[in-house]
Amino acid sequence: MVLNRLMTEIYETVSAACNMDDNKPGCFPTELSDGSTSEESVRLTRSLTEKRKNYVRRVSSRVAYLDPKNVKSLRFRHQTSICSYKSEIIDNPYSTFRSWKSFRASQSNLAKDKMADVTDSKFNLTDSSGNVLSMKDDLTASDDSIDNQSIDEKTGCVDIGLPFEPRERGLFNICLLVGMNYMTGQAYVKSVFPSQVVAPAHIENLVFPETLCGTQAEVADARAAQQYSLVLTDERGERSYGYCRRVLPEGATTCLPLCYCLIGKYRAPGFYYKVLQEIESQHGNSEVETNLLLQQLFESDFPNPGEDIIITYTRDHDQTVSARNSVNLGEIFAKTGADVVSTDRQRKLLKVDSMPDNVKDMPEFYDLHNNNSPKRVLLDLEGPRTKIIKRPIEPRVDEDNFSVLLDSFGAGLVIKVFSSLLLERKVVIMGNQLSVVSSCMEGLQAALYPLVWQQPLIASIPADIQREVLEAPLPILAGMLSAGDTHDTDNILFEEGMLIDLTHPNKVLFYQGDESTILPTSSYKTLKTSLQMESIKQKDKQEDTKTRNVMISEAFLRFFVDILGDFWKFFVVRELKEGEMGKNGVVFDKETFVKNASSKQNQYFLEWFSETAMFNHFIQNMAACYPRLADGTPQTNASPLLTPQGAQLVDTPLPNFYELFQQRLTSRNKSEHRINDSKNNYKSAMNKKVKMLKTKLRELVT
């Protein structure tokens, strides 16, 4: 009996020690899998990894060749620019199509050059099986092609011609007031601020996408459908973000056919919607008053978290400006009941003749409660009035995009779409509510933080090119308005991605079938558990929207912190060779980074994930943040976690974009040190206990 008890104690001790080891490679999770391990699942994982790796390499190595005549007039950016050109200035193999226009321009230029080598991956696109895709129909397009119909501008590939150099931290570049004629179905630009800026071509159709989709968006709640966002991409691949708010009169149930739109270079929907709310609240004022408000906003800098913008409404004594909320009621006179019968005597007492004309003409008021001499009451509300628009310390509390995304998709579908984006596949969201589609698009972009989506972004696909975009062999993230059940998708050749229809009972119209096997098992289960908890809290009304948005965001951020881990340890200071990741003398050792993954599943995931354009963009920006000496040379064995001031980051939608991610990495490293210390203490204690048990067992046996 004593022997059995000792053996049980030894078994439990050894089992506890073994459980501290890394998880062994096993099958990827599916809806029915329990995470068990087998050799067959490992072989499946290996084959899927190779397939995904080949796909990502094919997608991320596509180069958009523009006409050399146009290239000379373009301003080149850093090599991480997503639209590469046929020039020796940019030779980044990870550059990809940033816009729908660059994709089609590359195909037309290939036709002009009459390239005969159909096997070169640079010049031809292939499907998932490696077969060359024929572009004959596109290359032989007639004058009635989509190019001649200005579809590029309609999909958001426009260039804002500014007569001035935008400030580094300017709040916005242009503000538009766009109207729509419901009788003709045509939108038009009503006013532009600053007035010297020429509005981008067809921008009115992006602000009112109903004009492009041939259908009216369903409006269940006017306030819920009042604000939405759009994305503009120019020929250089640089993005601008537009935020729209339609005018809703107080107490009305339907928005007016008028919409304010702010366009700038920062992606902060929650904050910009508050700015637009203030602009819309002043709708109806004179043009001078509106321009003064916009001028103050235009001269303001984009605030850091915790900072604010102060708007001042004043009344000029020269009567040149009259703000609606800066009111001077003038001098109001009260007459007592005793003086009602003698108006002439009252005028003598108050010396009315010496008063201003506007006071003489004021109606007479009587004090019926006091029998005293006439009283003069002065109400003067003249003076400046201020409005403070604050960006909170935690900017995510201003937004509800994650909540809308989770409620619209559900936890399981959100992870599948998120996984497809990590593979840089095509994801199209279709719905009949513009604000919901817009919020889902914003939520998916934010879910990729600290990565930035490097492929085309289309806020609303026009109806006349929906088929072309859906069947195009390139990765995109796009939204699309639909007419509900009447949308025909039966004959669409949709591949390498997902098509989500929020109005459909099943929501998913096209998918690949391996979306639930992309993430490692542990990451998949952790992320799904976190999202399901937030869904349960929402049903039970246990959490407000602001807190919920932050919690969902943290779930995705935790995934990247765990996956990327100690990536900064794999930067080395040496000369950058062809095909390597890095910048300015700082090189990232990708192969070592993948091999040092915490588990086999993470290693399989990182093998293809490290090939994506998103990961390459992230690494180059981290290399730019690498600490440097006074002469500008990088420090040896330094950490890029502490971002130096003045680091030249490329293509980040916010200032200090990586600050939150670096904070989470720092917290993780500190907690890991504490855990490792406790593990070492625990292992030493276990070893002592095992030795002691072995000694007791030996003594008992002998």
Side-chain angles (χ1 to χ4, degrees):
M1 184 175 180
V2 176
L3 179 61
N4 291 336
R5 187 170 63 253
L6 286 174
M7 294 301 295
T8 303
E9 190 173 0
I10 292 174
Y11 175 80
E12 293 175 351
T13 303
V14 175
S15 299
C18 292
N19 287 336
M20 293 188 300
D21 297 336
D22 292 335
N23 295 328
K24 296 180 180 180
C27 65
F28 278 99
T30 61
E31 294 298 332
L32 301 178
S33 67
D34 57 356
S36 60
T37 61
S38 66
E39 295 182 1
E40 182 180 356
S41 65
V42 174
R43 287 196 299 270
L44 176 62
T45 299
R46 183 75 264 176
S47 63
L48 288 176
T49 299
E50 291 301 325
K51 180 180 179 181
R52 290 161 181 161
K53 193 172 183 179
N54 292 333
Y55 166 77
V56 170
R57 281 178 173 174
R58 187 173 70 249
V59 167
S60 298
S61 62
R62 293 170 177 169
V63 180
Y65 294 112
L66 299 182
D67 194 316
K69 297 179 181 179
N70 299 330
V71 172
K72 295 179 181 179
S73 62
L74 293 176
R75 174 173 58 87
F76 289 98
R77 291 173 47 191
H78 183 265
Q79 65 172 354
T80 55
S81 175
I82 305 308
C83 272
S84 295
Y85 308 99
K86 193 176 182 181
S87 170
E88 296 180 356
I89 300 178
I90 295 180
D91 56 357
N92 178 23
Y94 294 93
S95 296
T96 54
F97 297 123
R98 192 67 180 273
S99 67
W100 174 244
K101 181 175 184 177
S102 64
F103 167 71
R104 292 182 298 102
S106 66
Q107 303 308 318
S108 61
N109 287 326
L110 290 179
K112 294 176 183 178
D113 295 339
K114 297 182 180 180
M115 297 181 179
D117 187 4
V118 296
T119 61
D120 192 343
S121 61
K122 277 189 176 182
F123 308 134
N124 294 276
L125 301 175
T126 57
D127 58 15
S128 58
S129 302
N131 300 321
V132 177
L133 295 173
S134 174
M135 302 299 295
K136 182 177 180 181
D137 295 338
D138 293 338
L139 302 181
T140 58
S142 62
D143 293 338
D144 296 329
S145 66
I146 56 178
D147 282 318
N148 296 325
Q149 296 175 6
S150 300
I151 297 300
D152 294 320
E153 291 82 0
K154 291 183 179 180
T155 55
C157 188
V158 297
D159 196 0
I160 304 176
L162 299 177
F164 52 84
E165 186 67 23
R167 297 196 325 278
E168 180 65 24
R169 292 289 295 266
L171 186 62
F172 67 91
N173 294 332
I174 182 174
C175 178
L176 304 170
L177 177 60
V178 181
M180 180 178 178
N181 188 334
Y182 281 135
M183 299 297 294
T184 62
Q186 299 294 323
Y188 59 94
V189 177
K190 190 172 183 179
S191 65
V192 180
F193 183 90
S195 58
Q196 64 268 32
V197 178
V198 178
H202 300 284
I203 185 65
E204 64 275 10
N205 294 325
L206 295 176
V207 176
F208 281 95
E210 300 94 321
T211 60
L212 300 177
C213 300
T215 180
Q216 282 294 114
E218 182 179 329
V219 180
D221 182 2
R223 292 194 177 276
Q226 190 178 8
Q227 51 196 25
Y228 48 93
S229 63
L230 54 91
V231 180
L232 305 179
T233 310
D234 63 15
E235 293 181 344
R236 296 181 295 271
E238 297 179 350
R239 286 184 183 139
S240 298
Y241 299 92
Y243 301 97
C244 305
R245 183 179 176 91
R246 299 187 179 181
V247 178
L248 178 65
E250 185 176 357
T253 58
T254 305
C255 294
L256 296 178
L258 292 171
C259 182
Y260 286 97
C261 179
L262 289 177
I263 301 176
K265 65 177 182 177
Y266 296 124
R267 193 183 74 203
F271 173 74
Y272 278 104
Y273 287 150
K274 291 198 296 186
V275 175
L276 283 168
Q277 183 178 1
E278 181 64 21
I279 296 175
E280 188 236 354
S281 68
Q282 305 302 314
H283 181 76
N285 289 352
S286 65
E287 184 177 354
V288 175
E289 296 172 314
T290 302
N291 287 340
L292 281 176
L293 169 62
L294 295 177
Q295 185 67 35
Q296 292 186 65
L297 293 173
F298 184 76
E299 294 174 354
S300 301
D301 289 339
F302 184 80
N304 291 318
E307 298 179 349
D308 51 40
I309 293 177
I310 300 178
I311 304 173
T312 303
Y313 296 97
T314 59
R315 176 184 172 122
D316 194 348
H317 290 284
D318 296 332
Q319 301 297 324
T320 57
V321 181
S322 177
R324 183 175 68 176
N325 291 301
S326 182
V327 183
N328 180 13
L329 297 182
E331 297 174 335
I332 302 177
F333 298 93
K335 296 175 63 177
T336 64
D339 295 319
V340 173
V341 294
S342 179
T343 304
D344 293 336
R345 188 180 68 175
Q346 178 197 16
R347 291 185 179 275
K348 292 180 180 179
L349 289 174
L350 297 178
K351 300 180 180 179
V352 177
D353 294 335
S354 63
M355 295 179 184
D357 294 336
N358 62 334
V359 176
K360 292 180 182 180
D361 299 332
M362 290 183 62
E364 298 176 346
F365 296 89
Y366 301 94
D367 186 355
L368 303 179
H369 300 283
N370 299 294
N371 189 17
N372 298 322
S373 60
K375 294 182 179 179
R376 190 172 92 172
V377 181
L378 178 63
L379 297 179
D380 189 0
L381 301 183
E382 183 179 359
R385 182 183 68 87
T386 59
K387 172 68 176 182
I388 299 176
I389 304 176
K390 186 172 184 178
R391 192 162 177 243
I393 297 178
E394 177 50 81
R396 291 175 293 180
V397 302
D398 269 348
E399 303 170 7
D400 63 349
N401 297 321
F402 279 113
S403 297
V404 175
L405 176 66
L406 184 58
D407 293 339
S408 301
F409 282 28
L413 183 55
V414 166
I415 298 178
K416 291 180 175 63
V417 175
F418 174 69
S419 303
S420 295
L421 292 178
L422 292 181
L423 274 174
E424 294 187 334
R425 287 176 173 173
K426 175 165 43 181
V427 174
V428 179
I429 304 171
M430 186 165 54
N432 57 3
Q433 295 186 26
L434 178 59
S435 61
V436 175
V437 174
S438 174
S439 294
C440 291
M441 290 275 292
E442 289 283 356
L444 289 175
Q445 292 180 68
L448 295 174
Y449 177 82
L451 306 179
V452 180
W453 179 253
Q454 297 295 293
Q455 309 294 346
L457 268 171
I458 303 178
S460 182
I461 305 176
D464 49 359
I465 63 166
Q466 285 180 358
R467 177 174 292 275
E468 286 83 354
V469 174
L470 293 177
E471 294 184 349
L474 81 160
I476 58 175
L477 175 58
M480 186 170 68
L481 284 180
S482 66
D485 298 333
T486 60
H487 194 81
D488 182 20
T489 57
D490 295 336
N491 299 322
I492 292 179
L493 300 176
F494 193 93
E495 62 175 13
E496 292 290 356
M498 299 184 71
L499 176 59
I500 313 298
D501 186 359
L502 299 178
T503 63
H504 195 274
N506 297 327
K507 290 187 173 64
V508 182
L509 300 184
F510 293 97
Y511 61 97
Q512 298 304 300
D514 65 341
E515 287 82 4
S516 59
T517 68
I518 295 175
L519 303 183
T521 305
S522 58
S523 301
Y524 180 93
K525 291 182 177 179
T526 301
L527 186 57
K528 188 172 184 178
T529 301
S530 301
L531 297 181
Q532 285 178 341
M533 289 178 61
E534 294 304 320
S535 298
I536 294 173
K537 290 180 181 179
Q538 175 67 11
K539 292 180 181 179
D540 298 338
K541 303 297 181 181
Q542 298 178 2
E543 197 172 49
D544 62 285
T545 303
K546 294 182 178 180
T547 305
R548 187 178 184 230
N549 196 77
V550 175
M551 296 300 294
I552 299 173
S553 174
E554 286 291 336
F556 289 103
L557 181 55
R558 190 186 309 119
F559 165 80
F560 286 108
V561 170
D562 293 339
I563 287 294
L564 297 177
D566 297 331
F567 74 95
W568 55 272
K569 293 182 179 179
F570 302 95
F571 282 96
V572 292
V573 179
R574 61 175 173 82
E575 184 180 356
L576 183 66
K577 299 179 181 179
E578 184 179 358
E580 290 184 329
M581 294 182 179
K583 181 181 178 182
N584 299 336
V586 179
V587 181
F588 182 72
D589 190 351
K590 181 179 66 175
E591 300 298 330
T592 307
F593 168 68
V594 173
K595 291 179 180 179
N596 282 269
S598 58
S599 67
K600 278 293 183 181
Q601 289 191 12
N602 287 2
Q603 181 177 335
Y604 293 149
F605 175 82
L606 291 175
E607 280 188 17
W608 59 259
F609 181 64
S610 60
E611 300 284 343
T612 61
M614 290 188 296
F615 183 81
N616 175 70
H617 169 262
F618 170 77
I619 290 300
Q620 293 202 37
N621 273 344
M622 290 295 99
C625 295
Y626 206 83
R628 301 178 182 275
L629 301 174
D631 58 355
T633 58
Q635 300 180 16
T636 306
N637 299 325
S639 168
L641 290 179
L642 301 176
T643 306
Q645 295 294 329
Q648 296 299 318
L649 301 180
V650 179
D651 188 32
T652 54
L654 281 173
N656 305 321
F657 182 64
Y658 299 104
E659 183 176 357
L660 179 61
F661 176 69
Q662 293 177 352
Q663 292 176 0
R664 296 296 180 268
L665 278 181
T666 304
S667 302
R668 175 183 179 273
N669 294 335
K670 291 181 180 179
S671 62
E672 280 192 347
H673 287 310
R674 291 194 298 267
I675 293 174
N676 290 334
D677 293 340
S678 62
K679 277 188 176 181
N680 293 333
N681 296 334
Y682 179 70
K683 283 186 176 181
S684 61
M686 288 297 102
N687 291 334
K688 291 180 180 179
K689 190 172 183 180
V690 169
K691 290 180 180 179
M692 184 176 62
L693 289 173
K694 286 183 178 179
T695 303
K696 289 183 179 181
L697 180 61
R698 189 180 300 111
E699 292 176 353
L700 181 63
V701 172
T702 56

